[in-house]
Amino acid sequence: MDDSLALIAERLMPGARLLDARRLTGGVSAVVHALDLAPRDGAPRTVVVRQLRSHAWTTPGDDPVGREFALARAVHRAGIPVPEPL
């Protein structure tokens, strides 16, 4: 299993064990993995991690990841059934 995915899992859910990591297909602008996590005090949970392939197509000062995260958070908070951004 990729050590960088274990580090991401620890950052997302401190103390959780990374049970499995699978690469998901279909991403064009990002490498996407599903991580199965077992938190210390709760039920196992699957999270999806997107890692951009390159920032070569962005302009200086552009923050596509921050913009996408803010949009996903706003949509989730509005009660629209989408995954919770972490």
Side-chain angles (χ1 to χ4, degrees):
M1 205 171 311
D2 186 339
D3 288 341
S4 67
L5 294 175
L7 292 172
I8 291 168
E10 175 63 27
R11 179 96 187 253
L12 288 173
M13 202 173 293
R17 284 185 307 118
L18 177 58
L19 302 174
D20 190 30
R22 339 178 259 298
R23 178 130 183 221
L24 303 178
T25 60
V28 174
S29 63
V31 175
V32 183
H33 287 87
L35 306 181
D36 296 325
L37 305 176
R40 284 188 230 164
D41 57 351
R45 183 172 180 183
T46 300
V47 299
V48 174
V49 175
R50 295 183 68 238
Q51 297 171 292
L52 289 185
R53 292 182 190 273
S54 169
H55 284 96
W57 48 268
T58 63
T59 58
D62 192 16
D63 182 15
V65 175
R67 203 170 43 253
E68 181 179 347
F69 183 85
L71 178 60
R73 183 174 26 200
V75 169
H76 184 266
R77 287 181 176 168
I80 298 170
V82 297
E84 176 187 6
L86 301 175

